[in-house]
Amino acid sequence: MKELSELSLNILTLLKEDARRSPELLATLLGVKEKEIRDAIAQMEEDNVIVKYATVVNWSKVDEDKVTALIEVQITPERERGFEGIAERIYLFPQVKSVYLMSGAYDLLVEVEGKNLREVANFVSDKLSPIESVLSTKTHFILKKYKQDGIIYEDHEDDHRLVISP
Amino acid sequence: MNNETIGSRDMGRYLNARVRDIAPSGIRKFFDLVSGNKDIITLGVGEPDFSTPWHVREACVYSLERGQTRYTSNAGMPELREAIAEYLDRSFQIQYDPGKEMIVTVGGSEAIDLALRALVEPGDEILIPEPCYISYSPIVSIGGGVPVGIETFAKDGFKLTAESLQKAITPNSKVLILCYPSNPTGGIMTREDWLPIAKIIEENDLIVISDEIYAELTYDQKHVSFASLPGMKDRTILVSGFSKAFAMTGWRMGYVCAHEELTQAMLKIHQYTVMCAPVMGQVAALEALKHGLDEKDRMVESYNMRRRLVVKGFRDIGLDCHEPQGAFYAFPSIQSTGLTSEEFATRLLYEAKVAAVPGNVFGQGGEGFLRCSYATSVQQLTEAIERMGELVTKIRQER
């Protein structure tokens, strides 16, 4: 694993806040040349440190049928490959949004998205549970998202400052 | 007597003449002007855009739940004073006895008032480098003192120079008020800048009130406290607080540190006027010192980025702007537009919907400048500078 330079780290912090910030703006904010920013970003993209620039969407704001579940999955690790092979078999399904290997009472935490409850239930019974090394699943449906990846969905802390103060 | 008959008389005759004669503050006038306007971007705010970090607020809520709602000792909770002493030692290498040399106050503002009330006698001349924070001179006047402004200049980075200080000193000079890092200019003083000043203080047997409320907000170098200079600790009343560094303006938490004899005198005033600083604020301040230093560093770094953005922005639209080294203000010159500070600020407000404070309200040397706070979002700053640029172009075309 590479050690990240301070500049790269600062760039990541700023892009995590807003991925649409231009190299020109980043250069001004960080007090370096634009080329340094472009080079650092290119390097991080090449190294897969920056994987993708995605948008955080608050789906509850729109009339869109969507349910999300977090599923605890217990599995038997495979000889030689451990958890990797099974994790891959699971994360390749497009309805699977994230997969984490966990310590503790279960092995994988799988986030699954579907149009409705039944669709997610079907995925669990038809696709996930039948996988040979899957021992058990426990499905939790998400009722509301308040904060994701450091971003608060509905921030109530408005700016109450006086317009002019000494 | 009914209201009408009282109202028909001159109520002003009851007033203390010194209070009556204080001119209304220029910033207040501009505030009234701005307040009537909707949808403006304001660069006029003298406080952080961050809310107080959650762990600090949460600590206060918890203390209220436990019923921690009573007076503290006059000088403030002993744990808090110890934490402040430790913090000042670690951050600025100044050692104060938390038991005898420190009072927790209602904001830095009360600390300034305490210091001036304890020192100023009628006729005393109080030296004040300007442009500066607007409260010093009125408080000096209320005490019967004579405020003596010392103009500082953009070409010097708004530093106080030994020559100009020397020139302002008379046999009546008693106190020098310092505010570095500076509101409104963003100027700072380095150790090298301070040493000749300290020498003059010593030679003329003066005392210093050093308002270091922005001490944590310096960018390319660390703040040097005037009290940390050789021989200056006993000659300095150090004023500071939590407002700017920890985003705690509304809590009104400040402190003052000084030689025991001075501190005990200020404590007399403090105990008879406010008794003690609010306990909720003290609990919050203690939490900020114990667990808030990382968060503070993150906020400072965020101001630093925005500082670079506005300085470049102002220069790009053709305004001279000295590079502020501290606080969260840029102080660009608008002299090239041919307008006065107030004319420019007024047009900026009405035509560009951007509020900033005209420099002349901050005293001598402020005319021709504009105080722009960059404690606001990158998006708003970018938009504000763009609008300001359009106005500058328009003004140039008119001429």
Side-chain angles (χ1 to χ4, degrees):
Chain A
M1 253 181 277
K2 275 192 185 174
E3 205 182 316
L4 219 48
S5 71
E6 199 189 322
L7 176 66
S8 298
L9 204 61
N10 288 335
I11 293 171
L12 290 180
T13 309
L14 288 172
L15 287 179
K16 284 286 283 178
E17 285 170 13
D18 182 355
R20 300 209 306 173
R21 284 176 172 159
S22 67
E24 187 195 354
L25 176 63
L26 296 177
T28 307
L29 292 174
L30 295 171
V32 299
K33 296 233 162 20
E34 195 178 323
K35 180 161 188 320
E36 288 180 62
I37 300 284
R38 290 189 184 279
D39 289 350
I41 290 178
Q43 189 61 52
M44 286 192 284
E45 287 172 349
E46 194 185 311
D47 295 343
N48 206 28
V49 172
I50 294 178
V51 182
K52 219 178 185 78
Y53 303 90
T55 304
V56 179
V57 181
N58 185 357
W59 288 109
S60 70
K61 281 282 172 195
V62 287
D63 189 16
E64 175 80 21
D65 293 329
K66 208 178 272 284
V67 294
T68 313
L70 292 174
I71 307 169
E72 300 173 7
V73 185
Q74 276 189 312
I75 52 181
T76 328
E78 293 171 307
R79 206 184 170 109
E80 312 238 324
R81 298 190 67 195
F83 295 100
E84 304 297 312
I86 303 150
E88 187 178 357
R89 284 187 64 181
I90 294 173
Y91 68 61
L92 284 174
F93 285 108
Q95 48 277 68
V96 171
K97 295 302 165 190
S98 50
V99 177
Y100 307 99
L101 179 62
M102 309 293 289
S103 70
Y106 56 93
D107 304 301
L108 295 178
L109 182 65
V110 178
E111 185 184 353
V112 175
E113 206 173 80
K115 278 198 174 57
N116 51 43
L117 224 96
R118 189 151 34 99
E119 204 177 278
V120 175
N122 286 345
F123 172 78
V124 174
S125 61
D126 298 350
K127 307 289 184 200
L128 191 58
S129 296
I131 296 174
E132 215 172 315
S133 18
V134 170
L135 299 175
S136 74
T137 63
K138 215 185 256 181
T139 304
H140 309 274
F141 283 95
I142 292 176
L143 301 181
K144 182 171 181 177
K145 280 189 188 176
Y146 295 100
K147 185 177 184 180
Q148 185 182 328
D149 214 7
I151 295 161
I152 297 172
Y153 274 35
E154 296 194 32
D155 201 340
H156 298 293
E157 300 207 344
D158 300 332
D159 193 340
H160 296 296
R161 297 181 296 170
L162 299 172
V163 284
I164 298 275
S165 55
Chain B
M1 208 182 287
N2 65 35
N3 284 340
E4 209 176 335
T5 51
I6 289 182
S8 68
R9 294 183 182 199
D10 172 20
M11 297 308 285
R13 72 202 151 99
Y14 294 108
L15 286 173
N16 174 320
R18 289 177 195 153
V19 174
R20 190 187 53 217
D21 294 345
I22 289 175
S25 96
I27 209 164
R28 178 79 223 175
K29 212 174 91 190
F30 205 70
F31 173 80
D32 293 337
L33 204 62
V34 173
S35 296
N37 282 267
K38 291 234 173 323
D39 302 321
I40 53 159
I41 298 179
T42 178
L43 309 180
V45 189
E47 61 178 320
D49 58 335
F50 299 101
S51 295
T52 306
W54 173 243
H55 71 98
V56 173
R57 292 186 266 162
E58 201 271 341
C60 174
V61 171
Y62 179 60
S63 80
L64 288 174
E65 284 172 350
R66 277 180 311 163
Q68 205 172 347
T69 58
R70 300 190 165 81
Y71 295 132
T72 69
S73 74
N74 293 133
M77 285 159 39
E79 311 90 284
L80 174 58
R81 276 180 283 143
E82 273 157 35
I84 293 170
E86 205 175 289
Y87 159 79
L88 287 174
D89 188 10
R90 205 176 41 230
S91 302
F92 307 109
Q93 295 74 52
I94 357 171
Q95 293 78 36
Y96 285 106
D97 178 347
K100 298 179 184 139
E101 298 180 319
M102 187 184 298
I103 306 168
V104 176
T105 57
V106 182
S109 311
E110 190 211 343
I112 294 163
D113 185 40
L114 289 181
L116 285 169
R117 277 209 262 177
L119 298 177
V120 175
E121 291 202 70
D124 286 343
E125 290 180 3
I126 313 302
L127 306 163
I128 310 173
E130 293 178 346
C132 73
Y133 179 59
I134 58 169
S135 295
Y136 308 130
S137 166
I139 298 177
V140 168
S141 302
I142 290 172
V146 182
V148 178
I150 305 176
E151 188 170 349
T152 62
F153 302 92
K155 66 175 169 59
D156 305 322
F158 294 101
K159 292 170 189 292
L160 173 64
T161 62
E163 303 79 66
S164 53
L165 173 61
Q166 190 71 64
K167 237 190 282 172
I169 292 174
T170 75
N172 293 328
S173 304
K174 187 182 210 175
V175 182
L176 169 65
I177 301 180
L178 295 168
C179 176
Y180 289 97
S182 159
N183 171 8
T185 68
I188 63 160
M189 295 284 281
T190 63
R191 201 181 160 78
E192 290 66 43
D193 298 326
W194 277 140
L195 290 174
I197 304 293
K199 192 159 163 266
I200 296 174
I201 296 297
E202 183 88 58
E203 285 166 1
N204 292 276
D205 196 24
L206 300 180
I207 186 160
V208 165
I209 298 172
S210 187
D211 180 354
E212 302 184 13
I213 191 76
Y214 290 98
E216 287 284 1
L217 276 52
T218 59
Y219 303 108
D220 294 333
Q221 44 203 313
K222 271 211 73 136
H223 171 70
V224 180
S225 171
F226 193 79
S228 72
L229 301 168
M232 285 300 113
K233 191 192 149 195
D234 285 350
R235 287 190 180 274
T236 304
I237 297 181
L238 172 69
V239 170
S240 193
F242 295 84
S243 294
K244 315 294 178 177
F246 297 95
M248 291 180 65
T249 46
W251 299 82
R252 311 307 304 123
M253 289 305 302
Y255 51 89
V256 60
C257 303
H259 184 277
E260 182 180 352
E261 222 174 309
L262 300 176
T263 303
Q264 294 315 310
M266 290 190 283
L267 191 57
K268 278 196 253 179
I269 306 170
H270 176 75
Q271 73 185 4
Y272 293 130
T273 50
V274 307
M275 180 80 91
C276 66
V279 63
M280 296 87 83
Q282 294 192 50
V283 169
L286 181 59
E287 170 66 22
L289 283 182
K290 271 164 59 182
H291 303 116
L293 296 175
D294 289 345
E295 187 95 6
K296 176 215 69 185
D297 289 342
R298 273 196 291 280
M299 292 192 274
V300 174
E301 191 41 45
S302 160
Y303 296 132
N304 193 8
M305 291 181 194
R306 292 178 275 174
R307 175 182 72 114
R308 297 185 188 115
L309 179 73
V310 295
V311 172
K312 180 174 182 295
F314 290 142
R315 289 177 182 169
D316 285 352
I317 61 171
L319 297 180
D320 284 337
C321 184
H322 95 104
E323 187 169 349
Q325 298 283 334
F328 39 57
Y329 307 104
F331 206 56
S333 163
I334 48 90
Q335 286 156 16
S336 62
T337 64
L339 301 184
T340 66
S341 293
E342 284 202 13
E343 286 165 351
F344 187 86
T346 308
R347 289 193 62 176
L348 187 64
L349 175 64
Y350 288 118
E351 293 170 41
K353 299 266 176 213
V354 175
V357 184
N360 57 301
V361 311
F362 301 101
Q364 292 180 46
E367 179 50 55
F369 295 87
L370 202 61
R371 190 193 73 175
C372 301
S373 161
Y374 48 83
T376 198
S377 71
V378 167
Q379 210 182 344
Q380 295 242 299
L381 289 172
T382 310
E383 173 73 25
I385 291 167
E386 203 178 300
R387 293 191 201 171
M388 205 185 281
E390 285 164 15
L391 178 66
V392 170
T393 310
K394 190 168 139 198
I395 292 170
R396 295 222 163 105
Q397 281 161 357
E398 289 166 4
R399 294 175 73 208

